[in-house]
Amino acid sequence: MTVGSVETVPTCAYPGCEMPAESPAPGAQGPAPHFCPDPEHNSLGAFRKIRAKRQQRKEDKRVATEAKKAAKKAAKEGQAPAVEQQPWPAASAETPATGTTSGTETAPPASEQDAVAAQDTASEQDVDGEMAALMAMTTAEGDRAAQSRDALVALIEQLVTELPGYIEELAVITDSAAAEARIETVTRACAQRILAAEGRAALAEEAGDMAVAALDAAQEKFTEETTAIREETARQVADAEFVRAELERYRERVSTLEVRLDAVRDEADELRRERAARPTADQGQPRPAGR
């Protein structure tokens, strides 16, 4: 019997974000993305967020430490007079009671009583000094122990407080390395795109140069053709003027010929009239015999 493995979807590495991480593009090289599609959720934003949280934790810790120190200082100031004014009745009361009891049993002489009283006073002073020294040593050792304990507790609390920040920073540093690898991949892809764009730009520039050269050639050809058309038009206009001049001259000649033709027609009519008149005259005159 096999247990199917549950595939977990990685979440965004940005602090406080529970969105799933962006899926890698198909065919993309390098590590998978660690952040969601939100443009503000990236390595730099996560580092700034973690740094702000750490600064806030440090500020909260500083405020708590100052409050704790103020409370300890107030507690010490309130307990100091009570310790200084505490009486020591036990040692001083026991010794006279003992002397009184012994006195009731056997009364020693006055000199012995004075010696015993002096010894009792000296012993009481020694006991008081020893008790005071013991209390001072105990208080000092207690203060040092309390200070050491407080320092140790403060160090432990600091470690507990700053450990998540260090872990988060370690994650950010690791993710920064992945981000650098991704940036390098994107930079390489951008460089390839730039090279391709430069190649296309070079081809476009060559095509533009060829188009400009073709345009110059077409313009030159157009200028030549226009010049030829103008010359041909001028020549045709000159020919037309010549033809017009020749036509005018022919018209003048035709007019002259028409005038001459009219004169010739008039002369012919005159001759026909004269010939028509001659037979009538010839009929009225006798013809010669030889004819």
Side-chain angles (χ1 to χ4, degrees):
M1 181 177 180
T2 59
V3 179
S5 60
V6 179
E7 184 178 358
T8 59
V9 179
T11 57
C12 180
Y14 191 84
C17 181
E18 297 181 356
M19 295 292 293
E22 184 179 5
S23 59
Q29 298 179 356
H34 295 277
F35 296 93
C36 64
D38 192 343
E40 295 183 357
H41 291 187
N42 48 31
S43 299
L44 182 59
F47 178 76
R48 290 176 176 174
K49 184 73 173 179
I50 292 171
R51 185 174 60 183
K53 289 173 64 178
R54 188 177 65 179
Q55 294 294 335
Q56 185 65 31
R57 284 197 298 265
K58 286 184 177 179
E59 184 67 20
D60 295 341
K61 179 185 174 183
R62 185 182 62 81
V63 173
T65 303
E66 290 180 355
K68 190 181 294 184
K69 288 182 179 179
K72 287 183 179 180
K73 184 176 180 181
K76 287 182 180 180
E77 290 177 355
Q79 292 177 0
V83 173
E84 291 178 357
Q85 296 177 2
Q86 183 178 2
W88 300 96
S92 60
E94 288 176 358
T95 305
T98 306
T100 306
T101 304
S102 60
T104 56
E105 293 177 354
T106 55
S111 59
E112 291 180 0
Q113 290 180 358
D114 294 337
V116 170
Q119 290 179 359
D120 291 339
T121 303
S123 63
E124 288 179 1
Q125 291 178 355
D126 293 339
V127 169
D128 292 340
E130 289 178 358
M131 290 295 293
L134 182 59
M135 288 297 298
M137 291 175 62
T138 305
T139 304
E141 289 178 358
D143 292 338
R144 286 196 297 271
Q147 291 177 359
S148 300
R149 178 182 174 280
D150 293 340
L152 183 59
V153 170
L155 289 175
I156 293 174
E157 291 178 354
Q158 181 179 2
L159 180 60
V160 171
T161 304
E162 296 182 355
L163 185 59
Y166 292 147
I167 294 174
E168 292 178 357
E169 289 183 1
L170 182 61
V172 170
I173 292 172
T174 306
D175 187 64
S176 298
E180 289 178 359
R182 185 178 180 185
I183 290 171
E184 184 178 359
T185 303
V186 173
T187 303
R188 190 182 301 110
C190 290
Q192 293 177 357
R193 292 181 181 177
I194 290 171
L195 290 176
E198 289 178 353
R200 290 194 296 269
L203 292 176
E205 187 175 357
E206 291 179 0
D209 294 338
M210 294 175 62
V212 170
L215 181 62
D216 293 339
Q219 186 175 2
E220 185 177 357
K221 185 177 180 180
F222 176 76
T223 303
E224 292 177 357
E225 291 179 354
T226 304
T227 304
I229 290 172
R230 287 177 179 175
E231 292 176 357
E232 183 67 23
T233 304
R235 186 166 54 252
Q236 290 179 0
V237 169
D239 293 341
E241 293 292 336
F242 177 74
V243 171
R244 184 179 297 173
E246 289 291 329
L247 183 60
E248 291 294 333
R249 190 176 62 182
Y250 286 145
R251 284 178 180 175
E252 291 177 358
R253 289 181 65 182
V254 169
S255 298
T256 304
L257 291 175
E258 287 179 352
V259 172
R260 290 179 64 183
L261 182 60
D262 291 337
V264 172
R265 285 177 181 174
D266 291 339
E267 289 178 359
D269 291 338
E270 186 67 27
L271 289 175
R272 279 195 300 270
R273 283 194 298 269
E274 288 179 357
R275 285 181 182 179
R278 278 180 188 176
T280 305
D282 288 341
Q283 290 177 1
Q285 292 177 5
R287 293 182 180 181
R291 297 178 185 180

